[in-house]
Amino acid sequence: MQALIEAIRSQGHGVGSQIVKVDSFLNHRLDTGLLYEMGKAFALRYADEHPDLVLTVEASGIALALATAHALGDIPVVFAKKSAAANQSGDMAEEKIFSFTRGQECVIRVDLRYIPAGSKVLIVDDFLANGEALRGLIAILKRAGAHLIGVGIAIEKGFQPGGQALRAQGIPLLSLAVIEEIRDGHIRFRDTDQH
Ligand code: 5GP
């Protein structure tokens, strides 16, 4: 998606060879116009599957999921939580994942009342790296007895294995920008920036 690639080029920067910082439009300050465009792109790709809800993980996935759910006709968003609440319901599905950015294991959890068995679910997230967040969300969907119709990712880092693993499982995946390499602060995109 050209507008996203342009935003990464002009505002994003690489940290070392693994991390992309896009705080000015996706992870801290939000470019609402761009988010709605991304939401529309996911909706266009998956509307024919008639998802019942959009699932993501807090915090950065929420705005993208909201934009997507709005473009799909204001269906609900459910986001996995990363911290346990004292007044948590008894029917929580929990999964341990290894957080790439925190460098440690964490638990994500969803109240199963909000993912009805048999519902069709679109997963959306800001980044795809090793695919741990998605693995956890997909495991929670299985526990809920829900059906995954596909995944929408804003920025896939193609040099990490998450995207390839998902495609190998036959899971539909739309990544709006795929980064091939980060070297000396320069971000090179798949198929679009060969120099
Ligand atoms: P994964 O679970 O696929 O290994 O990592 C995806 C999650 O880690 C995303 O939800 C995102 O929050 C975070 N993440 C992974 N790589 C990056 C990155 O390069 N930049 C930022 N800002 N977040 C990342």
Side-chain angles (χ1 to χ4, degrees):
M1 181 187 179
Q2 203 51 38
L4 175 60
I5 290 172
E6 286 309 321
I8 299 168
R9 279 205 176 109
S10 60
Q11 299 176 53
H13 61 274
V15 179
S17 60
Q18 302 275 304
I19 300 269
V20 186
K21 292 286 279 183
V22 286
D23 280 6
S24 66
F25 65 91
L26 191 59
N27 289 139
H28 194 11
R29 174 180 177 267
L30 299 175
D31 181 331
T32 53
L34 181 57
L35 278 163
Y36 282 119
E37 286 307 309
M38 292 195 267
K40 272 189 216 156
F42 293 138
L44 201 64
R45 168 70 174 77
Y46 291 114
D48 287 349
E49 314 292 331
H50 302 289
D52 297 304
L53 63 95
V54 179
L55 177 67
T56 189
V57 57
E58 68 175 354
S60 293
I62 296 176
L64 194 56
L66 182 77
T68 307
H70 178 66
L72 284 163
D74 292 325
I75 61 175
V77 169
V78 177
F79 60 92
K81 297 193 175 209
K82 287 178 177 164
S83 54
N87 58 350
Q88 196 164 283
S89 97
D91 207 10
M92 301 292 284
E94 298 190 333
E95 278 296 321
K96 263 193 204 141
I97 61 166
F98 188 82
S99 167
F100 178 75
T101 41
R102 294 177 191 199
Q104 64 184 42
E105 254 190 3
C106 73
V107 175
I108 58 170
R109 44 182 72 74
V110 175
D111 187 325
L112 287 174
R113 286 176 299 179
Y114 302 131
I115 307 182
S119 53
K120 290 184 282 181
V121 178
L122 170 61
I123 293 179
V124 162
D125 204 6
D126 59 342
F127 273 89
L128 174 55
N130 292 323
E132 277 287 294
L134 289 181
R135 186 186 57 69
L137 291 173
I138 291 168
I140 287 171
L141 284 187
K142 281 207 178 109
R143 239 297 306 265
H147 177 59
L148 174 65
I149 60 138
V151 176
I153 294 291
I155 305 171
E156 175 183 340
K157 292 184 291 179
F159 53 87
Q160 289 176 297
Q164 205 182 336
L166 223 61
R167 292 183 184 97
Q169 291 170 65
I171 295 172
L173 168 64
L174 173 60
S175 298
L176 300 179
V178 181
I179 291 173
E180 206 60 272
E181 185 186 39
I182 309 164
R183 200 197 306 181
D184 301 328
H186 177 71
I187 297 170
R188 186 167 62 84
F189 293 89
R190 186 171 290 175
D191 293 332
T192 56
D193 183 3
Q194 298 301 332
H195 47 271

